[in-house]
Amino acid sequence: MRLTPCQRHRAVRVLAGLVVSVFLLTACGESKDGSGVVGSESSTSTSAPPSTLPQQRSGSVKAQLISVATNLDEPVAIATVGSDTYVGEKAGRVRRIDEAHGNPIALDISRRVVSDAYEQGLLGMTFSPDQRYLYVSYTHNNGSIVVDALRWHGRGSPNSDWRTIISIPDPQSNHNGGSLEFGADSMLWMGIGDGGNANDEGEGHAGGGNGQSLKTLLGKMIRIDPTPNGVQPYAIPADNPFIGRSDALPEIWAYGLRNPWRFDLDAGMLWVADVGESSREEIDRVSSISGAGSNFGWNIYEGNSIHRSGRSADAVAPVFEYPHSDGNCAIIGGVVAHDPSFRALNGKYLFVDSCVGAIKALSIDTQGSMSSVSLDANIVQPTTFGTDASGTLLVVSQQGTIYRIAPK
């Protein structure tokens, strides 16, 4: 088992005495029920010890899901600017949430986006802190994962002022990550998947896996200072952890990720939901300052279990993991709640499993103890969480509906 970050921030996984059993597990793949699951496929895993679950509270925080937008085309991302909330659809359209007026289209980049495979398409979006630019990440039809900046002119569509900020070669169609968020430091953070394939192996994958290689941006959390009007499209923040190292790319903030499907920056902490291979789903949590340079362990580890042979990674343990049992298959990460209309959830981190759909919340007290609660609310084919301008919690179904998470 790995030590928890509460015991030691940059914990070394303790391997002594760990008994590893070998067996074949099958996860929800892209063919499950004809719809697929974000970031998972069948493969061989080398161990599956009991999950390190936090203490379960005896009661539940009861919630209900109230529809706020319908008839969307595979919605996958949410971003808010001013009093408006926007939703990104997989094919490359961005709509303003306004059910009374049919959720009008604000942006259509579908001609630039390839969305043929289940995990391709528009991946994430966020507005700059000064509200002057919309940043969108997507799988480009040239075979790369791309982040573009578009000048924004208030409600409606951006103008033609368009700049590609970063472009990352993408060897396979799956494990793209793509979430975007500006931190309190006004730097742009992005979670990027390992490039696809099972086990982080094959064409386009470094020896030992992209997750563990510091010579690729795949399998990483990156942090940059975008300059949409500058000579260069972005600068490297002076406090990034790998600046000046010849064996590492300076954009990297943390590494060892498989498919970070949503992250959140909140109160000086980074929360990352990393989709597992075939046996484990995990949530990672580190300081957004002192956690710089963290190794989350993939592909040596999957959750707290050994995934492949190799040297021991000086890796941060997940604060939460759960196994692929009872229908679980792929974690959909969320947000830390600060909803004035649902105070019982405030400070808790929301997440859901793509196949099961039961929304849950984690909380960590000042001593580092964790507890989890069920919201007693289920959603079919969840893709992301978000908030509107007032902080109201939202959760999105790929079937085309956005729901408000409300007290019951």
Side-chain angles (χ1 to χ4, degrees):
M1 304 294 286
R2 285 192 278 174
L3 302 177
T4 69
C6 302
Q7 294 169 308
R8 185 177 174 189
H9 170 64
R10 296 292 306 282
V12 179
R13 292 177 172 89
V14 179
L15 302 184
L18 180 65
V19 179
V20 180
S21 60
V22 181
F23 63 97
L24 184 67
L25 290 175
T26 303
C28 301
E30 291 189 357
S31 61
K32 182 176 178 64
D33 296 331
S35 60
V37 176
V38 176
S40 60
E41 68 280 303
S42 301
S43 70
T44 301
S45 178
T46 56
S47 70
S51 177
T52 53
L53 300 178
Q55 179 182 358
Q56 299 284 329
R57 290 187 179 177
S58 57
S60 296
V61 177
K62 302 291 186 180
Q64 59 181 321
L65 302 183
I66 300 173
S67 173
V68 298
T70 58
N71 299 315
L72 301 168
D73 183 14
E74 296 187 289
V76 296
I78 289 179
T80 296
V81 61
S83 61
D84 290 327
T85 302
Y86 292 83
V87 56
E89 297 176 325
K90 182 177 183 287
R93 288 174 293 274
V94 176
R95 295 178 179 272
R96 178 167 54 86
I97 297 180
D98 182 354
E99 191 79 337
H101 296 90
N103 304 310
I105 293 176
L107 172 68
D108 188 346
I109 59 171
S110 56
R111 288 184 297 178
R112 300 168 66 91
V113 175
V114 59
S115 58
D116 297 336
Y118 183 74
E119 295 180 33
Q120 291 179 324
L122 191 147
L123 302 171
M125 61 186 195
T126 191
F127 288 91
S128 61
D130 62 8
Q131 304 185 5
R132 295 174 59 197
Y133 291 91
L134 169 65
Y135 289 80
V136 290
S137 64
Y138 57 95
T139 50
H140 197 285
N141 53 29
N142 67 9
S144 299
I145 299 170
V146 166
V147 177
D148 287 335
L150 301 92
R151 186 177 289 276
W152 193 260
H153 287 284
R155 176 175 291 189
S157 301
N159 70 5
S160 59
D161 188 355
W162 181 300
R163 187 175 195 180
T164 293
I165 300 298
I166 194 166
S167 180
I168 303 166
D170 185 23
Q172 285 88 36
S173 66
N174 56 344
H175 304 181
N176 300 311
S179 292
L180 299 172
E181 187 172 339
F182 278 92
D185 53 9
S186 296
M187 299 297 109
L188 181 63
W189 297 60
M190 181 179 182
I192 306 168
D194 67 12
N197 265 2
N199 305 309
D200 195 3
E201 296 175 341
E203 182 180 355
H205 294 255
N210 287 334
Q212 291 298 307
S213 172
L214 295 176
K215 298 293 257 181
T216 175
L217 297 183
L218 296 170
K220 309 297 185 297
M221 288 295 306
I222 69 169
R223 177 174 174 261
I224 60 175
D225 182 5
T227 55
N229 288 320
V231 176
Q232 299 296 325
Y234 65 89
I236 303 297
D239 55 349
N240 269 15
F242 297 108
I243 288 179
R245 284 183 48 170
S246 61
D247 63 338
L249 297 178
E251 295 90 344
I252 297 172
W253 192 89
Y255 63 109
L257 292 166
R258 181 178 179 273
N259 188 23
W261 192 253
R262 305 316 182 208
F263 68 89
D264 192 28
L265 291 161
D266 179 79
M269 302 301 295
L270 168 68
W271 296 77
V272 184
D274 198 20
V275 178
E277 178 80 13
S278 58
S279 65
R280 287 287 197 264
E281 303 300 308
E282 71 179 79
I283 297 172
D284 301 302
R285 177 183 183 266
V286 296
S287 165
S288 58
I289 298 175
S290 62
S294 292
N295 177 8
F296 296 119
W298 174 254
N299 65 355
I300 297 174
Y301 299 93
E302 180 186 3
N304 269 324
S305 67
I306 300 171
H307 183 73
R308 70 167 174 86
S309 61
R311 66 178 180 83
S312 176
D314 180 13
V316 176
V319 294
F320 178 79
E321 65 160 7
Y322 64 89
H324 284 193
S325 58
D326 300 324
N328 291 307
C329 66
I331 192 167
I332 303 297
V335 296
V336 177
H338 298 283
D339 187 337
S341 65
F342 204 160
R343 297 188 183 278
L345 283 180
N346 286 351
K348 297 178 175 61
Y349 176 80
L350 304 187
F351 71 99
V352 67
D353 189 88
S354 179
C355 286
V356 174
I359 302 173
K360 298 180 179 180
L362 296 180
S363 61
I364 300 179
D365 64 23
T366 55
Q367 284 74 45
S369 298
M370 181 181 295
S371 60
S372 66
V373 294
S374 168
L375 301 194
D376 197 28
N378 284 29
I379 181 171
V380 177
Q381 286 189 282
T383 59
T384 194
F385 291 82
T387 60
D388 66 13
S390 68
T392 298
L393 292 164
L394 304 173
V395 64
V396 178
S397 167
Q398 192 168 7
Q399 290 189 334
T401 302
I402 298 176
Y403 298 95
R404 175 166 66 91
I405 303 173
K408 187 173 183 179

